[in-house]
Amino acid sequence: MGNPEGARAQHEQRRGPVVRRKDQMQPGTTDQHLLDTHGATDWVHEDPFRVMRIQSEFVEGFGALAELPPAISVFGSARTPKDSAEYEAGVQIGRGLVEAGFAVITGGGPGAMEAANKGATEAGGVSVGLGIELPFEQGLNPYVNIGVDFRYFFVRKTMFVKYASGFVVLPGGLGTLDELFEALTLVQTKKVTRFPIVLFGTEYWQGLVDWVTHTLIAQGKAAERDLELFHITDDIDEAIALVTKEAGA
């Protein structure tokens, strides 16, 4: 009758959890490919290797931030001028959050992010910057005292939410809007709980709030109760009180 196991082995290849059969089988063994230093390097640009990079970014981020005290993520434009009222508000918000017992997390770049990190550092607090690899290199601002650089936006965004108890959102551009709406979605869908979101700057944000009210909600694309997912204010003390009180400080 022969050996069916042996026959199957000729047409089946197992590499860890992966099974390859017939024309999908590959020559050699995994160890052989690992130890053979003379070969094509295309594999470093392929998806399996990218998965390892993604995993390593999560591990590095979790390891760097696991022992943070309660924290608030502060978002805002990288283009905010240093001599502007918005920049000064960012400094005061960063300082106020530290004085309220929180670490400050930003995207680590210039502008509003730098302002919040500056206020946190000058107040003697933990000032975190989560940088991102971009075509136009920014680098971490000098007021960051714990910094992690990421390749992947979605890994970085996970860190913003996982290690923060709330968001303060200063005037910003597309990146700030992306982070804001992701946070709103996570709260709306109850993927996170006890997560206050404060928009700072009524003049800047009111148009967006009006659009949500008169277009999204009016057309049934969102519920009126979704307006309760965030607060809007021009008062620095109120912003800090709202985000820290709801966060359970």
Side-chain angles (χ1 to χ4, degrees):
M1 294 180 62
N3 183 354
E5 291 296 325
R8 186 174 64 181
Q10 296 177 9
H11 301 285
E12 182 175 285
Q13 180 184 61
R14 292 179 178 269
R15 289 188 170 172
V18 179
V19 177
R20 292 180 176 273
R21 291 174 176 161
K22 297 184 179 180
D23 61 344
Q24 294 301 310
M25 293 172 64
Q26 298 174 340
T29 66
T30 303
D31 280 341
Q32 180 183 354
H33 288 295
L34 173 65
L35 297 173
D36 183 4
T37 58
H38 306 289
T41 59
D42 291 347
W43 61 275
V44 302
H45 304 294
E46 296 175 353
D47 286 344
F49 189 70
R50 289 192 181 102
V51 171
M52 298 301 294
R53 281 180 170 168
I54 291 166
Q55 182 183 50
S56 72
E57 289 207 347
F58 277 113
V59 171
E60 290 295 334
F62 291 162
L65 304 177
E67 297 181 352
L68 279 184
I72 299 295
S73 288
V74 180
F75 298 113
S77 176
R79 303 179 184 184
T80 301
K82 290 187 177 182
D83 60 353
S84 67
E86 287 179 13
Y87 187 96
E88 181 57 29
V91 173
Q92 292 183 41
I93 287 170
R95 182 182 299 117
L97 290 172
V98 168
E99 291 171 350
F102 286 80
V104 171
I105 302 174
T106 79
M113 294 175 282
E114 178 183 293
N117 285 132
K118 179 180 179 181
T121 296
E122 290 179 347
V126 180
S127 178
V128 180
L130 306 181
I132 185 69
E133 178 184 273
L134 294 172
F136 40 93
E137 190 62 40
Q138 291 181 323
L140 295 176
N141 69 67
Y143 300 102
V144 169
N145 53 41
I146 297 178
V148 184
D149 273 317
F150 295 93
R151 286 187 177 93
Y152 300 99
F153 265 117
F154 63 89
V155 179
R156 179 187 188 229
K157 287 160 73 175
T158 298
M159 302 301 160
F160 279 130
V161 176
K162 178 173 175 57
Y163 293 103
S165 301
F167 285 173
V168 176
V169 190
L170 299 168
L174 295 179
T176 302
L177 290 172
D178 176 45
E179 290 147 353
L180 167 61
F181 277 101
E182 179 171 34
L184 290 170
T185 302
L186 290 172
V187 178
Q188 181 201 51
T189 57
K190 302 188 185 304
K191 293 294 185 180
V192 293
T193 55
R194 295 177 59 81
F195 201 86
I197 300 168
V198 177
L199 307 182
F200 184 83
T202 302
E203 183 179 359
Y204 190 84
W205 293 114
Q206 191 61 55
L208 177 64
V209 175
D210 290 343
W211 177 75
V212 170
T213 303
H214 301 302
T215 301
L216 287 187
I217 295 174
Q219 294 186 17
K221 305 293 192 298
E224 190 168 354
R225 64 177 178 274
D226 291 334
L227 293 173
E228 300 172 5
L229 298 177
F230 60 88
H231 306 276
I232 185 168
T233 184
D234 292 314
D235 186 275
I236 290 172
D237 291 335
E238 183 182 25
I240 294 167
L242 287 168
V243 79
T244 57
K245 179 180 178 181
E246 289 195 27

